Amino acid sequence: MLVKTYGSAVNGIDALTVTMEVNISSGVKFFIVGLPDNAVKESEHRIESALSISGWQWPGKQIVINMAPADIRKEGSAYDLPLALGILAANEKIAYTNLHKYLIMGELSLDGSVLPIKGALPMAIKAKQEGFKGCIFPAANAKEAAIVEGIDVYGAQSLMQVANFLDKGTGLEPIRVDVAEEFSKANDIPDFDFAEVKGQENVKRALEIAAAGGHNMLMIGSPGSGKSMMAKRIPSILPPLTIDEALETTKIHSVAGKIKGETSLLTRRPFRSPHHTISDVALVGGGSYPQPGEISLAHNGVLFLDELPEFKRTVLEVMRQPLEDRVISISRSRFTVEYPASFMLVASMNPCPCGYYNDPNRECTCPPGMVRKYLGRISGPLLDRIDLHVEVVPVPFDKLSEAPPSESSAEIKKRVIKAREIQSKRYANCPGIHCNAQLTPKLQAIYAQPDEAGQSILKQAMLRLGLSARAYDRILKVARTIADLEGSENIAATHIAEAIQYRLDRETWGS
């Protein structure tokens, strides 16, 4: 007897429906075709044990399973549950009349329990698009998939539970998630607050500009000057995620298997801080079975690279393209996948190997030329793609011992949100553009042009600092954000001057 069950394969952050055709006929062999990987082929043993412990016997006949489309590679153990149900239905142990109504995915344990999978959210989105009545996923993944409205999502604990539901319509109830309530439950009290940062007003100003415009930023300063401390507080001043941003971010984390069972929707902007020993594949994504990398997990949030020169040069250079295009393409001989990578890069570094160049309290012990050589570990093209370069000077004792707290994150966040609202209205008719850092050359010519005095200052800076055309664009984008923070429609000379001071002069640094 031939029956069909339906599941999904994940490609990038989107899903593709997979039809599993199970035919049981006379014979004794087991065949599974349709480009299954080893994990799928091994499902025979998991399914046999799960059926036996659940009270069913393995069919003493020939079983042929085809996974269509046959030219798409099927990976992982998440096909165990639909394959097991297909075998039960083809062997007439359960009714098959309801199988076509549901998209089913789940890994089986040997005792028949259903284990978590990756990518439940994009699978549920695809199931809704394909017109399925509902989805049956592991209980640990049901809540994340249930944020998709217009389709029933069921969380299963065991193979027996799913079989009874399909056969008798009992045992499972749809999971309901109120997206608006999920957003309202998000904790508005940040884990880290800028009120705890004493002094460093110039750095906090730069961080405010970076957050308001989504700009990349590099902090250079001595050990203990507060670089990492301030970087960890950036999420506390970023505007909240929109519904669309939250869904897209959750999809990426779902595909990567980073969603916890009690979480349905990511309501906070991600903050990723990989160690400097990370590989280029782990950073940008890929591998034999492509997965999102750190730059995609930081999508709509912050990627913090501490001790930037300590990262391998090849790792840093692979970020060039996603920093410009805000998407990363992973190409293999058989396929190409794309992952979103619109993140705000924040990096920190010591000014030299000993860490004390330009420190007001300690003398640098590095030999001549070492400071510039240390900075040279970061290529010019990568530095060009970082909008703001800020030197962080250690805070003197009298500032550290001050009793009055600094300005809180909540106060800074209000100004950031106000500036972002200005940008949202300005770019309302520009798809994919939400903040000044994303401006295209065409939009920049319309919205980021300085007045005559500002143009003159910018021309002098370009000649004196030897800035590239990319640096010219970055200065204009930062100036546009500074003007938005002040509520100014036009970019004035003062805005250009402040933006220029956030560019690092490589020629004079360390000389």
Side-chain angles (χ1 to χ4, degrees):
M1 182 176 180
L2 174 66
V3 299
K4 296 181 181 180
T5 59
Y6 299 90
S8 280
V10 175
N11 181 35
I13 62 168
D14 297 313
L16 173 72
T17 299
V18 174
T19 303
M20 284 154 279
E21 302 170 317
V22 182
N23 184 40
I24 295 182
S25 58
S26 60
V28 292
K29 294 186 178 181
F30 179 91
F31 300 98
I32 183 165
V33 296
L35 281 185
D37 71 351
N38 287 334
V40 179
K41 292 176 183 177
E42 291 168 354
S43 65
E44 175 189 359
H45 308 293
R46 292 190 295 271
I47 293 171
E48 183 176 2
S49 175
L51 291 178
S52 176
I53 293 179
S54 299
W56 292 291
Q57 289 185 346
W58 182 258
K61 300 178 181 179
Q62 177 171 284
I63 301 174
V64 179
I65 299 174
N66 177 46
M67 306 179 75
D71 60 339
I72 302 295
R73 187 168 179 81
K74 319 306 183 303
E75 302 166 351
S77 54
Y79 298 101
D80 291 357
L81 182 58
L83 291 177
L85 293 168
I87 291 172
L88 285 174
N91 200 33
E92 300 183 346
K93 297 299 182 182
I94 63 171
Y96 60 85
T97 52
N98 292 323
L99 277 176
H100 69 282
K101 298 178 182 178
Y102 299 96
L103 187 142
I104 307 169
M105 291 293 281
E107 178 184 344
L108 285 178
S109 177
L110 295 183
D111 63 359
S113 58
V114 183
L115 304 179
I117 61 172
K118 296 179 180 179
L121 178 55
M123 291 176 186
I125 293 172
K126 185 64 175 178
K128 179 184 176 182
Q129 294 171 350
E130 295 283 339
F132 285 94
K133 180 182 178 181
C135 301
I136 301 175
F137 292 135
N141 300 109
K143 199 172 180 183
E144 73 176 83
I147 64 175
V148 181
E149 297 179 349
I151 189 170
D152 292 332
V153 176
Y154 301 87
Q157 299 280 0
S158 67
L159 172 61
M160 178 68 76
Q161 197 177 31
V162 181
N164 287 336
F165 173 73
L166 293 172
D167 200 25
K168 304 172 184 176
T170 60
L172 293 178
E173 294 294 332
I175 306 296
R176 303 296 181 197
V177 173
D178 188 331
V179 176
E181 185 181 348
E182 288 294 314
F183 264 90
S184 66
K185 287 193 300 185
N187 189 0
D188 291 331
I189 302 175
D191 298 327
F192 303 100
D193 198 297
F194 272 102
E196 301 156 353
V197 180
K198 302 295 180 66
Q200 304 292 13
E201 298 305 324
N202 65 317
V203 185
K204 286 190 278 188
R205 166 65 175 174
L207 287 168
E208 180 180 337
I209 294 169
H215 301 290
N216 303 322
M217 180 172 171
L218 171 64
M219 293 180 283
I220 307 175
S222 305
S225 57
K227 304 184 296 297
S228 299
M229 179 186 185
M230 287 184 282
K232 290 177 182 177
R233 284 155 177 75
I234 294 174
S236 68
I237 63 173
L238 289 173
L241 287 167
T242 64
I243 293 289
D244 290 340
E245 287 177 332
L247 277 171
E248 189 175 32
T249 304
T250 306
K251 278 176 68 176
I252 297 169
H253 285 249
S254 174
V255 169
K258 303 292 185 182
I259 302 293
K260 297 179 181 178
E262 66 276 8
T263 304
S264 61
L265 188 69
L266 295 180
T267 55
R268 286 188 175 186
R269 293 189 181 272
F271 181 86
R272 307 292 299 184
S273 181
H275 192 261
H276 60 76
T277 55
I278 190 172
S279 68
D280 49 355
V281 171
L283 185 68
V284 302
S288 301
Y289 305 109
Q291 287 286 298
E294 289 291 332
I295 64 173
S296 295
L297 294 172
H299 180 66
N300 290 324
V302 177
L303 177 69
F304 176 50
L305 302 183
D306 199 8
E307 304 299 340
L308 188 65
E310 303 305 322
F311 284 78
K312 290 184 291 185
R313 192 178 183 94
T314 54
V315 171
L316 297 179
E317 293 308 302
V318 294
M319 287 199 302
R320 286 198 207 172
Q321 179 258 331
L323 279 172
E324 287 289 331
D325 300 339
R326 298 185 179 272
V327 66
I328 179 69
S329 297
I330 309 296
S331 298
R332 297 292 181 265
S333 58
R334 284 178 168 267
F335 57 86
T336 299
V337 297
E338 282 191 352
Y339 295 113
S342 181
F343 59 93
M344 177 180 162
L345 174 63
V346 177
S348 69
M349 61 176 286
N350 292 332
C352 63
C354 80
Y356 296 104
Y357 174 72
N358 270 3
D359 188 295
N361 304 315
R362 298 186 62 172
E363 185 178 352
C364 175
T365 59
C366 296
M370 183 57 69
V371 176
R372 294 184 64 179
K373 184 178 180 181
Y374 189 70
L375 181 63
R377 293 187 185 181
I378 307 168
S379 69
L382 182 60
L383 270 180
D384 259 359
R385 288 169 168 82
I386 299 177
D387 305 352
L388 297 98
H389 309 147
V390 182
E391 188 172 2
V392 184
V393 179
V395 182
F397 176 79
D398 57 342
K399 287 280 187 182
L400 287 174
S401 58
E402 280 182 357
S406 301
E407 189 177 31
S408 70
S409 292
E411 294 169 322
I412 301 173
K413 187 174 182 177
K414 289 178 183 177
R415 297 195 295 269
V416 170
I417 291 175
K418 187 176 180 181
R420 284 288 185 108
E421 287 174 349
I422 293 172
Q423 294 165 53
S424 295
K425 292 177 182 177
R426 181 188 297 137
Y427 311 129
N429 297 322
C430 306
I433 306 296
H434 308 290
C435 58
N436 291 328
Q438 299 171 333
L439 279 178
T440 62
K442 184 178 180 180
L443 292 175
Q444 186 178 299
I446 301 172
Y447 299 114
Q449 290 304 307
D451 57 21
E452 188 174 341
Q455 190 70 28
S456 176
I457 292 174
L458 185 52
K459 180 180 179 181
Q460 293 176 31
M462 290 285 293
L463 295 174
R464 182 174 63 84
L465 300 177
L467 300 176
S468 67
R470 183 180 289 113
Y472 171 84
D473 290 341
R474 302 280 172 172
I475 289 171
L476 289 178
K477 291 175 185 179
V478 172
R480 176 69 272 171
T481 301
I482 295 170
D484 289 340
L485 282 168
E486 292 186 3
S488 173
E489 185 175 345
N490 300 316
I491 299 176
T494 53
H495 305 143
I496 292 290
E498 184 176 359
I500 290 171
Q501 78 173 8
Y502 295 124
R503 299 303 302 185
L504 180 67
D505 186 356
R506 290 174 65 98
E507 298 300 320
T508 60
W509 181 260
S511 59

